[in-house]
Amino acid sequence: MEFDFLTPVNSEIIQFISKLNSQHLGSKVSFHTDKEFPNIDKIKIAIIGVLENRGDATQFEEVDLNHIRKELYSLFPGNWESPMADLGDILPGNSLEDTFFAVKKVISKLIRKNIIPIVIGGTQDLTYALYRAYDDLEQMVNLVAVDSKFDFGKQDENTSSDSYLTKIIVDEPNNLFNYSNIGYQTYYNSQEEIDLIEKLFFDAYRLGEISNNIEIAEPIFRDADLVTVDLNVIKSSDSGNFTNFTPNGFNGKEICALARYAGISDKVSLLGIFNHWNSKQESVLIAQIIWYFIEGINYRSNEYPFGSRESYSKYIVPLENDELIFYKSDKTDRWWIHIPFFTEGNNKLKKNTLLPCSYEEYLTACNQELPERWWKAQRKNIL
């Protein structure tokens, strides 16, 4: 029933793919056509378009994903084993809420079947619908947004691409455990918003901070369930989007590296890519972002929270009044820090007691300084 919301891939795309040779990615993907629907029991990754853009009053054109699909399926895959399908598009409903409902139902169904959806299309407020897809899964959600803005708005404001985060924080059921922003630009965010991020113990990393050392983003993605990308975070000279001019932002190499970090995370179960302005040039980069995310999925190491701690080295760092426990993977050399349980309070971390961290954070602890992300996770756990 949930898949009734999906319309077939445009016949123009099917004809385009039929002319590609057997080595192109398009020849290795199952498609939702007028005649058949892919067997979802045999796929690992699903691509879905959402043709909804009413969340941004400045967007007047209908969402067109044909160029993205042509660019993506014209690429050559790596040595990949994860079977893929393009399930088609979700059309705009009678209202924005109708579209949200359809997106929620489709995505929730796929996640429950351990399929990783890649959602492309409309405006950033669709992140709210992706977040709501986790309602039936009875888990806390870690959201990572690659975005130049925090997208706060007034509590009574209608959901839009500039205010969806407020709705996520306020609306029930409140399943959000942590929000992390990667790439915000200070002049696009009020000081009140920046202060609110700190007050809620969320994580935010400025554009320059990530650009100077992109590796610090890897542990953030490793703890994410949902990753959403606002394409306006990419500078126009690299994205080709000059309709909504952005002089500063990530370059093409950096955004693809971030997409790969998201892909290799064993925990990420959903990716959304939004605010595409129908630019043919931008479609080329979007296709490569998706390619790198899929590449990452195919190189997942299946470590914590899915693996056993037996293949980890344990490090205990004594502090003045306590001790911190770190784990290092013998397989990938990645680090985690232990978050202790609490016998009182909400105990939101009861299913996730290891927080991904970096080797630098381990060194920080050795210098008798508490890692900031560990402290924030502690605070959220006891509030």
Side-chain angles (χ1 to χ4, degrees), residues 30 49 69 125 154 175 198 212 247 250 284 300 334 370:
S30 302
R69 284 186 163 105
D125 51 296
K154 296 180 181 178
N175 303 322
E198 287 295 318
N212 289 335
F250 289 122
V284 177
R300 289 187 173 185
R334 296 192 294 187
L370 289 174

Side-chain angles (χ1 to χ4, degrees), residues 190-220:
S190 69
Q191 189 59 48
E192 182 182 12
E193 292 173 319
I194 296 173
D195 292 341
L196 182 57
I197 290 289
E198 287 295 318
K199 183 179 179 180
L200 294 173
F201 305 111
F202 290 157
D203 303 310
Y205 300 83
R206 293 179 64 174
L207 170 66
E209 187 177 3
I210 299 295
S211 294
N212 289 335
N213 182 14
I214 200 167
E215 292 182 2
I216 65 176
E218 187 275 327
I220 306 166

Side-chain angles (χ1 to χ4, degrees), residues 90-233:
I90 296 176
L91 301 179
N94 292 329
S95 67
L96 191 56
E97 288 69 27
D98 291 337
T99 306
F100 286 175
F101 178 82
V103 172
K104 171 186 173 181
K105 288 298 182 181
V106 171
I107 300 304
S108 180
K109 178 74 171 182
L110 292 172
I111 295 176
R112 287 199 302 270
K113 296 185 74 67
N114 293 319
I115 297 171
I116 301 172
I118 300 173
V119 181
I120 54 177
T123 42
Q124 185 78 354
D125 51 296
L126 290 167
T127 299
Y128 176 76
L130 301 187
Y131 163 72
R132 290 267 75 106
Y134 290 88
D135 286 353
D136 299 331
L137 303 180
E138 297 182 354
Q139 69 172 75
M140 301 303 293
V141 179
N142 287 339
L143 165 62
V144 173
V146 184
D147 198 339
S148 59
K149 301 177 182 179
F150 296 133
D151 297 320
F152 285 118
K154 296 180 181 178
Q155 186 169 341
D156 56 352
E157 185 178 345
N158 291 331
T159 307
S160 71
S161 60
D162 293 326
S163 66
Y164 71 90
L165 184 57
T166 298
K167 194 170 179 63
I168 287 178
I169 294 171
V170 172
D171 281 8
E172 297 289 342
N174 191 332
N175 303 322
L176 182 68
F177 178 72
N178 191 44
Y179 165 81
S180 299
N181 174 283
I182 294 178
Y184 82 93
Q185 298 178 40
T186 306
Y187 38 73
Y188 289 145
N189 301 275
S190 69
Q191 189 59 48
E192 182 182 12
E193 292 173 319
I194 296 173
D195 292 341
L196 182 57
I197 290 289
E198 287 295 318
K199 183 179 179 180
L200 294 173
F201 305 111
F202 290 157
D203 303 310
Y205 300 83
R206 293 179 64 174
L207 170 66
E209 187 177 3
I210 299 295
S211 294
N212 289 335
N213 182 14
I214 200 167
E215 292 182 2
I216 65 176
E218 187 275 327
I220 306 166
F221 285 114
R222 209 186 327 151
D223 199 38
D225 299 290
L226 163 60
V227 175
T228 180
V229 177
D230 182 338
L231 292 166
N232 292 318
V233 79

